[in-house]
Amino acid sequence: MFFNTEEHNDTVIVKIPQRFLAETVQDFKSVIQASMERADRDFILDFGATDMVDSSALGAIVAVYKSISLTQRVLVLSSLNDTVRTLFELTQLQKIFPIEESLDDALELLKKNAD
């Protein structure tokens, strides 16, 4: 399995690997789906270790976002380096996803939304 997860209260943190590419997309979707089945939870995708994301991975993130949104939950992206952030900006996806500088900032955003 390429994706590690952590739980923090009602939030699932998915650690994105260094290279998030087409060959890891199915594993990513499986991890998210399994986490969604257990309870209503918000999600953070932690890109702290990631330096490469391809178009298949972007498509998977959008698909997962749609699934999570249907459950009235939130998907936040955190810790994007300049290269990954530029990719999201070039594809205009920063308009869809909340993007936070750090994992702590993402957790704080979700805590504020819950209050």
Side-chain angles (χ1 to χ4, degrees):
M1 186 169 294
F2 298 100
F3 298 88
N4 294 318
T5 61
E6 297 175 9
E7 294 188 27
H8 190 275
N9 298 327
D10 290 333
T11 302
V12 176
I13 301 165
V14 180
K15 303 285 188 176
I16 305 300
Q18 183 179 6
R19 298 169 60 87
F20 188 9
L21 306 173
E23 59 264 18
T24 61
V25 163
Q26 193 56 47
D27 188 42
F28 171 72
K29 288 180 177 180
S30 296
V31 166
I32 297 292
Q33 193 63 39
S35 295
M36 287 178 68
E37 289 174 2
R38 287 185 290 214
D40 284 341
R41 300 177 179 166
D42 292 321
F43 287 82
I44 297 172
L45 302 184
D46 181 5
F47 287 84
T50 309
D51 59 21
M52 183 176 205
V53 177
D54 73 7
S55 60
S56 295
L58 282 179
I61 294 167
V62 171
V64 161
Y65 167 78
K66 289 178 181 179
S67 295
I68 291 169
S69 296
L70 291 173
T71 65
Q72 305 301 311
R73 302 310 288 193
V74 178
L75 173 67
V76 179
L77 310 181
S78 75
S79 309
L80 281 68
N81 69 20
D82 290 340
T83 302
V84 175
R85 182 178 295 275
T86 299
L87 178 63
F88 276 86
E89 290 170 355
L90 288 172
T91 56
Q92 300 290 304
L93 290 174
Q94 87 285 359
K95 294 179 179 180
I96 297 172
F97 299 105
I99 299 175
E100 295 295 326
E101 290 295 319
S102 70
L103 181 56
D104 288 339
D105 290 344
L107 288 166
E108 186 62 30
L109 174 70
L110 293 175
K111 183 179 176 194
K112 285 180 187 175
N113 287 347
D115 292 342

